[in-house]
Amino acid sequence: MLQVSQRGRAMPLSPYRRLTPYAEAAKARGLHVYHLNIGQPDIETPPAMLAAVQQADIRVLEYSHGAGNPSYRRKLAAYYQRADIDVTPEEIIVTTGGSEAILFAMLSCLNPGDEVLVPEPYYGAYTAFSIAAGVTLVPVLSHIETGFALPPLAELEAHVTDRTRAVLICNPNNPTGYVYSHAELEQLLDLCLRHDLYLLSDEAYREFCYDAPYVSALHLGTATHEHVILLDTISKRYSACGARLGALVTKNQAVRDAAFRFAQMRISPPGLAQLLGEAAADLPETYFDHTKAEYQARRDQLVARLQAMPGVVCPRPGGAFYVLCRLPVDDAARFSQWLLEDFDYQGQTLIMSPAVGFYATPGAGLDEVRLAYVLNIPALNAAMDCLEHALQVYPGRRNQEDKRLFAGS
């Protein structure tokens, strides 16, 4: 009997798209659904980026260079240098989205059966990439009570085995919005140096740090050069998710050579997207002033609304555009589906991402959800009106004392 592969059977559904069919059915019934489930910003893609493609004089859309067009890599290197990340164009491999950068890093740094330490909760797609690469993610729990700070170094080190080859972080973090401090990154680097591990650093949200400066893993000095693999994308910072343009950046020549061979296997990254990317790199640094201020205002409003709801526990995220909060419900996945199947408030409802999809530890995150504040403030307020009312009438609401941790934070 024909069967799909073990990898195919093990590949999980997307934790942020899992409930999309229910949202589509709700819309078909006439409901307005507020999408807080996925990091798709409503902020306009910079017109100069789109114009670069529209005005391009192209007669033949050729393959691009396997590592990315030299002109784009030069401009991308200049962008990193403005962020005090000292890299050259030759130390950049352009990828088809940040997703490919993560996959290339795993394929280049790890063998099948190797282990990767990752603070949990973590970006749900990491599980899919690890399955594709044949490696094992080893989660180390962070906790909502500490705002999802990095687990203690001793706890991370306790999970190191003779098969551990890397630590994987997302900074600022998706799904929690936590921003790792310079001290926490130094601790991670120390762990990697002592155990000869790679540090895979996903930095897709670097422009959106609200309460403390952004610190890259490549800011930590020359000791990082052989260990750090920076993973990146233009999707979030320029609201260009559909461009599918990312980068793998490292000073480790051997890793870069391996990643380039994988890059040659898929021929080349998208050529039109690199025109977008070049135009993005030419935008003035003041471009981010408005977008960062807008996301910070959305964060403040969303957190204020959530912290005012009885029974909701919500730390204040320091970056990205996500909130991970605990709800007073029996099961957040069941509640999220109920919102789309059985609930409406004035003809409206919302879709969220149940947090269980961002955990690997059994039982973790069952009463938590991730919300993406990618909608404007009036839409966020309308969505929170829906959520507040839903929590009052949901049949599976937990009766408990109001534990409003982080109030006023």
Side-chain angles (χ1 to χ4, degrees), residues 285-303:
E285 293 186 55
T286 55
Y287 164 74
F288 294 106
D289 293 348
H290 168 74
T291 52
K292 180 178 177 179
E294 175 64 20
Y295 283 131
Q296 184 167 350
R298 294 178 183 189
R299 178 203 65 171
D300 293 346
Q301 181 64 17
L302 182 61
V303 169

Side-chain angles (χ1 to χ4, degrees), residues 318-339:
F321 40 64
Y322 305 102
V323 164
L324 196 74
C325 64
R326 179 180 294 159
L327 302 179
V329 298
D330 55 354
D331 183 298
R334 185 180 298 123
F335 172 67
S336 298
Q337 185 171 330
W338 174 85
L339 282 171

Side-chain angles (χ1 to χ4, degrees), residues 309-321:
M309 296 181 193
V312 174
V313 175
C314 180
R316 181 184 300 276
F321 40 64

Side-chain angles (χ1 to χ4, degrees), residues 324-408:
L324 196 74
C325 64
R326 179 180 294 159
L327 302 179
V329 298
D330 55 354
D331 183 298
R334 185 180 298 123
F335 172 67
S336 298
Q337 185 171 330
W338 174 85
L339 282 171
L340 298 167
E341 287 191 309
D342 301 309
F343 171 82
D344 81 84
Y345 177 67
Q346 299 178 350
Q348 303 173 105
T349 190
L350 71 154
I351 177 172
M352 307 177 292
S353 292
V356 68
F358 303 99
Y359 287 89
T361 299
L366 287 177
D367 56 357
E368 297 172 3
V369 294
R370 187 195 75 171
L371 298 92
Y373 44 96
V374 292
L375 303 181
N376 60 63
I377 287 178
L380 283 177
N381 274 324
M384 290 303 97
D385 291 343
C386 291
L387 179 60
E388 187 171 20
H389 186 73
L391 288 172
Q392 294 170 4
V393 299
Y394 175 57
R397 180 184 173 90
R398 281 206 316 257
N399 292 319
Q400 60 178 32
E401 293 183 10
D402 180 7
K403 299 178 181 179
R404 287 187 223 172
L405 301 183
F406 313 102

